[in-house]
Amino acid sequence: MKSQKHESRKSIFAKLMVFSTMTLSTPKVIAAEKDLYDFLWLDPDKKVYVLQNKVHKKEHTVFANLGIGIGLSSTFQDTSLIHGNFGYFITEEFAIEGLYTNYSNKDNEALANLQKLNGSVPFIRKTKSNLGAIAKWSPFYGKVNTFNKIFYFDWSFGLGAGILKTESNATTVANPTLANSYKSESYATIIGKSELTFHATKNINLNIGFIMNNYKAPGPVINNKSTDKMRSNFDAILSFGVSF
């Protein structure tokens, strides 16, 4: 009897050892459960898997972008632009960036109609170029599934300073004895930027951005007087970029 009991205990011990070995040898199953979250606002039987680790790392990378866009602030001008920027990500979220924008302006239909109706010339300020540097913060990232293909993206914000060069007819527009002419101007500006970056490959991306320049400038000269006030200039930009 003692021999049978001893053999039975050995059999139970052997089964426990086999079970423990199988359990410890399957860490992927246990780890997979940690990636699974229950959301109380879903049906009790619904499960949602969380977003995996970031695919496109930015820390210690250099980037450069080149693109085109339009100016959104001029009432009487159709403004197109060429924009370029480059920078370096110091950390995964923070970067420094330099940017330059060159503008091209053309009288639009609103100005032509105004001149046809009453022959008047409005006050116009044309943007010529924008040079600046910003600190860039990129706190958001994600992915979207479109046409059965996954695209990864980052959403960033920037704040900095620069020089905005313009020209305006401020000195002649209110004086009927003077021919309408434009004078070059230059203003210090505070630059704000928001940008979505879609990663096509590891090193190539598509960017959709908005840049706002805030600066203090005078209006038209009336009775030898002009009033300075804060003004804003908005640009929408589509660009292609590389990073490495």
Side-chain angles (χ1 to χ4, degrees), residues 3-18:
S3 177
Q4 291 179 353
K5 289 182 178 179
H6 181 69
E7 290 296 326
S8 177
R9 289 175 182 173
K10 287 177 65 177
S11 176
I12 293 172
F13 180 75
K15 291 179 179 178
L16 288 173
M17 287 295 293
V18 172

Side-chain angles (χ1 to χ4, degrees), residues 166-171 181-185:
T166 65
E167 61 179 24
S168 78
N169 59 353
T171 58
S181 62
Y182 292 86
K183 181 180 179 180
S184 296
E185 305 165 330

Side-chain angles (χ1 to χ4, degrees), residues 36-37 52 58 65 70 104 121 171 179 186 197 201 213:
L36 193 62
Y37 281 74
Q52 300 302 310
K58 299 189 296 294
N65 304 306
I70 57 173
S104 176
V121 177
T171 58
S186 181
T197 299
T201 67
N213 283 279

Side-chain angles (χ1 to χ4, degrees), residues 65-69 81-85 237-240:
N65 304 306
L66 182 64
I68 59 174
L81 60 90
I82 297 176
H83 174 82
N85 63 280
I237 299 166
L238 176 67
S239 64
F240 288 93

